[in-house]
Amino acid sequence: MTARPPFLAKLTGRAEPDATKRRWRRYPIDPAAWDELCGALGTGLDLVSLWGEPGAVHMALREGDEAVIVTLPCPSGRYPSVGRLHAPAVRLERAVQDLTGLVAEGLPDARPWLDHNRWGVRHPLWSAEPVAADGAPYPFLPVEGEGLHQIPVGPVHAGVIEPGHFRFTVNGEAVVRLEQRLGYAHKGTAALMTGAPLAHAGRLAGRISGDSTVAYALAFALAVEEATGSQVPDRAQWLRGLMAELERLANHLGDIGAIANDAAFAILHAHTGMLREQVLRASHTAFGHRLMMDRIVPGGVAQDLAAEGRAAIAATVGHIRRVFPKLVEVYDETNSLQDRVVGTGVVRPEWVNQFATGGFVGRAAGRAFDARRWAAYAPYHSLTVEPPVFEQGDVNARVWVRIREVEQSLTLIDRMLETLPSDPILAPLGSGPAAGPETEGAALVESFRGDVFFWVRVTAEGRVAACHFRDPSWFQWPLLEAAVEANIVADFPLCNKSFNCAYSGHDG
Amino acid sequence: MANLLLQGLLGPLTEPAPDADPAASAELARLAAEVGKAARRRLGRSLSIREVDAGSCNACELEINALSNSYYDIERFGLRFVASPRHADVLLVTGPVTKNMRQALERTYEATPGPKWVVAAGDCAGGCGLFADSYACVGRVADVLPVDLHIPGCPPTPLALLSGLLGLLEVNQAPGRPLSARQREIGS
């Protein structure tokens, strides 16, 4: 954080950050202001997301408590690249180029990203012109040097995981460079949501990344509720929190075991796998679906906590509280396992600050950001979330962030069950705070993986006019490339699992 | 550590096998009629499964991974996940088959030696329509590969997956001979 005067307050004309109503207001700006913002990114001014629509490019920005969206009109289809000054924007601009055809002038890497030349259409979100789906080869970055060879991996991997391609260049055992190629799971979700009624769009939002279905459905719902000026009943807010913490708990438990398993330490995997299964079963008892898909909808929740759900959740929480400390002890005291995870895949603090990296990747390298605390959306406005922060940035630190968050989630779930008010669970959506045919809203929600950003424009008839979502992985994947450098190939699965980046969530 | 090991020995959590999916019985009966004696002999009582995510949201993968936890313990049935299509008898495919994954899926199928089966897991893989109209999706696994069995669900629960896969094992028994009691009970 620098001592320079805050940019966003100047932009928004407010001397003091508006802590009570943290809205993602949108401001049109000119190319000079765009350039000035680009130059300041990464110095306490975080790039939250970047996306395009026909004739305009948007950036979501955060600085301290302030958050805005800025819009640069570009009817000519060109705009000054953000990535030329701020590396975290490069992949986002490549995606914008693929989807809308908007050209980022000066973008240092203008290769396609999501478009593999297989869609039969170019720039599907704007001109949508038909083209041959010939699957033109992708130009990987050239690598030259004595004794180097390459290992291509994926998109079909050895394990039961999502599709993506990793191109390793290695010298003996050591990784010299990893280049990722993603986009295999691109389903055109944003295009499918556009024009859809809110209920249908919500179902799609819940399938952007299945492991974060609760977080995505919540982010979409909060954005829609802001756009429509809707009030959500208290009980629904607390049930949403309950689902979000159950999702976090299940994923963290799965991850901790899976990381140990990738270091060939299977017993921890077996035990956390049982705990994870118990959380999913309790979730099913409580909300009728193991992953709680389609339970959060704009206006509230679709299903109340089942009568036997409270007891099922409480029993599971109690059991985890008894068993988990023993597993942590085994993790911490097994030398052969510690030998693999300590000092492996180190992420430096300056990288996470530059990339505004959220979740366990950011918190394991000293960046304390947690959207539950920052945005303080309900029910977290009345709960204490203390993000666990570690400094080492290695696989071990990413495990410890998860361990501490498991413990916190148990406490949060207890509090939520105690507090659960007895309101209705669903309210009709409002008609919107602004006059005019369309209104907008945005939200930042903490998934188990990090902060999910969702922006939506809603028509008066209750349809999605435009939308954008940004998975936390956009700012984590690039750091994985950096973190594995000089590690041995055999440690890549360990590094990769400790990041556990989303493929579908990233590819959209 | 010793306690943890002991705990695993004393109280197994593994649950009894579910019945083969009755909803899929027609599909399975047809398969049973088609599977030749030679193929049956070669596949034996165990099936190696290569999972292919052809663009799913990853929810199906979460539940497929759950099959390996102690509650379901899929390996007790002779069903195991393998790392390469070269070792596989079954391709377990999820997702609405994105256009960006189509070629990789086709290549994986070609790399799998016969006799082989394709199981489409989840509603997307069966063509539920949620992603069907997308410029980026093919739609159903059956539009790309010959599908032998579809296991529905969004995502299918581990029990649904297990029922479907056990049905495949039954197909592979001599006609009229369901899974032996021993096969069902191992580990449970």
PDB file of all heavy atoms in Angstrom, chain A residues 10 89 92 121 137 200 237 381 418:
ATOM      1  N   LYS A  10     -11.284  10.154  -5.710  1.00  0.00           N
ATOM      2  CA  LYS A  10     -11.217  11.274  -6.638  1.00  0.00           C
ATOM      3  C   LYS A  10     -12.219  11.044  -7.770  1.00  0.00           C
ATOM      4  O   LYS A  10     -12.961  11.934  -8.172  1.00  0.00           O
ATOM      5  CB  LYS A  10      -9.785  11.339  -7.197  1.00  0.00           C
ATOM      6  CG  LYS A  10      -9.477  12.594  -7.984  1.00  0.00           C
ATOM      7  CD  LYS A  10      -7.989  12.700  -8.315  1.00  0.00           C
ATOM      8  CE  LYS A  10      -7.568  11.687  -9.365  1.00  0.00           C
ATOM      9  NZ  LYS A  10      -6.154  11.768  -9.707  1.00  0.00           N
ATOM     10  N   ALA A  89      -4.031  -8.438 -16.124  1.00  0.00           N
ATOM     11  CA  ALA A  89      -5.142  -8.204 -17.058  1.00  0.00           C
ATOM     12  C   ALA A  89      -4.961  -8.947 -18.374  1.00  0.00           C
ATOM     13  O   ALA A  89      -5.899  -9.024 -19.169  1.00  0.00           O
ATOM     14  CB  ALA A  89      -5.279  -6.703 -17.328  1.00  0.00           C
ATOM     15  N   LEU A  92      -7.397 -11.824 -19.152  1.00  0.00           N
ATOM     16  CA  LEU A  92      -8.759 -11.288 -19.240  1.00  0.00           C
ATOM     17  C   LEU A  92      -8.959 -10.561 -20.571  1.00  0.00           C
ATOM     18  O   LEU A  92      -9.999 -10.686 -21.212  1.00  0.00           O
ATOM     19  CB  LEU A  92      -9.020 -10.329 -18.076  1.00  0.00           C
ATOM     20  CG  LEU A  92      -9.166 -10.984 -16.701  1.00  0.00           C
ATOM     21  CD1 LEU A  92      -9.003  -9.966 -15.580  1.00  0.00           C
ATOM     22  CD2 LEU A  92     -10.523 -11.676 -16.570  1.00  0.00           C
ATOM     23  N   VAL A 121     -17.829 -20.001 -34.863  1.00  0.00           N
ATOM     24  CA  VAL A 121     -18.293 -18.617 -34.793  1.00  0.00           C
ATOM     25  C   VAL A 121     -17.177 -17.801 -34.143  1.00  0.00           C
ATOM     26  O   VAL A 121     -16.442 -18.306 -33.291  1.00  0.00           O
ATOM     27  CB  VAL A 121     -19.614 -18.529 -33.982  1.00  0.00           C
ATOM     28  CG1 VAL A 121     -19.416 -18.986 -32.559  1.00  0.00           C
ATOM     29  CG2 VAL A 121     -20.184 -17.131 -34.016  1.00  0.00           C
ATOM     30  N   PRO A 137      -3.709 -24.746 -35.009  1.00  0.00           N
ATOM     31  CA  PRO A 137      -2.802 -25.049 -33.892  1.00  0.00           C
ATOM     32  C   PRO A 137      -2.487 -23.807 -33.058  1.00  0.00           C
ATOM     33  O   PRO A 137      -2.470 -22.699 -33.571  1.00  0.00           O
ATOM     34  CB  PRO A 137      -1.548 -25.580 -34.578  1.00  0.00           C
ATOM     35  CG  PRO A 137      -1.702 -25.324 -36.029  1.00  0.00           C
ATOM     36  CD  PRO A 137      -3.124 -25.011 -36.322  1.00  0.00           C
ATOM     37  N   HIS A 200     -33.847 -19.107 -14.680  1.00  0.00           N
ATOM     38  CA  HIS A 200     -33.039 -19.979 -15.526  1.00  0.00           C
ATOM     39  C   HIS A 200     -31.564 -19.548 -15.469  1.00  0.00           C
ATOM     40  O   HIS A 200     -30.656 -20.378 -15.381  1.00  0.00           O
ATOM     41  CB  HIS A 200     -33.554 -19.950 -16.964  1.00  0.00           C
ATOM     42  CG  HIS A 200     -32.839 -20.882 -17.875  1.00  0.00           C
ATOM     43  ND1 HIS A 200     -33.030 -22.250 -17.829  1.00  0.00           N
ATOM     44  CD2 HIS A 200     -31.907 -20.672 -18.841  1.00  0.00           C
ATOM     45  CE1 HIS A 200     -32.251 -22.834 -18.725  1.00  0.00           C
ATOM     46  NE2 HIS A 200     -31.558 -21.910 -19.360  1.00  0.00           N
ATOM     47  N   GLN A 237     -31.094 -15.070   4.466  1.00  0.00           N
ATOM     48  CA  GLN A 237     -29.698 -14.635   4.514  1.00  0.00           C
ATOM     49  C   GLN A 237     -28.855 -15.575   5.369  1.00  0.00           C
ATOM     50  O   GLN A 237     -27.726 -15.914   5.015  1.00  0.00           O
ATOM     51  CB  GLN A 237     -29.624 -13.208   5.060  1.00  0.00           C
ATOM     52  CG  GLN A 237     -30.267 -12.200   4.106  1.00  0.00           C
ATOM     53  CD  GLN A 237     -30.183 -10.782   4.622  1.00  0.00           C
ATOM     54  OE1 GLN A 237     -29.966 -10.570   5.814  1.00  0.00           O
ATOM     55  NE2 GLN A 237     -30.355  -9.817   3.743  1.00  0.00           N
ATOM     56  N   HIS A 381     -22.237  -9.697   7.989  1.00  0.00           N
ATOM     57  CA  HIS A 381     -22.200  -8.369   8.599  1.00  0.00           C
ATOM     58  C   HIS A 381     -22.303  -8.471  10.116  1.00  0.00           C
ATOM     59  O   HIS A 381     -21.854  -7.596  10.827  1.00  0.00           O
ATOM     60  CB  HIS A 381     -23.319  -7.488   8.033  1.00  0.00           C
ATOM     61  CG  HIS A 381     -24.694  -8.006   8.319  1.00  0.00           C
ATOM     62  ND1 HIS A 381     -25.075  -9.290   8.038  1.00  0.00           N
ATOM     63  CD2 HIS A 381     -25.783  -7.413   8.876  1.00  0.00           C
ATOM     64  CE1 HIS A 381     -26.340  -9.474   8.405  1.00  0.00           C
ATOM     65  NE2 HIS A 381     -26.788  -8.346   8.917  1.00  0.00           N
ATOM     66  N   GLU A 418     -27.419 -21.207  15.831  1.00  0.00           N
ATOM     67  CA  GLU A 418     -27.962 -20.553  17.025  1.00  0.00           C
ATOM     68  C   GLU A 418     -28.844 -19.370  16.660  1.00  0.00           C
ATOM     69  O   GLU A 418     -29.874 -19.118  17.272  1.00  0.00           O
ATOM     70  CB  GLU A 418     -26.833 -20.008  17.906  1.00  0.00           C
ATOM     71  CG  GLU A 418     -26.105 -21.030  18.746  1.00  0.00           C
ATOM     72  CD  GLU A 418     -24.763 -20.460  19.235  1.00  0.00           C
ATOM     73  OE1 GLU A 418     -24.588 -19.222  19.265  1.00  0.00           O
ATOM     74  OE2 GLU A 418     -23.886 -21.274  19.559  1.00  0.00           O
TER      75      GLU A 418
END
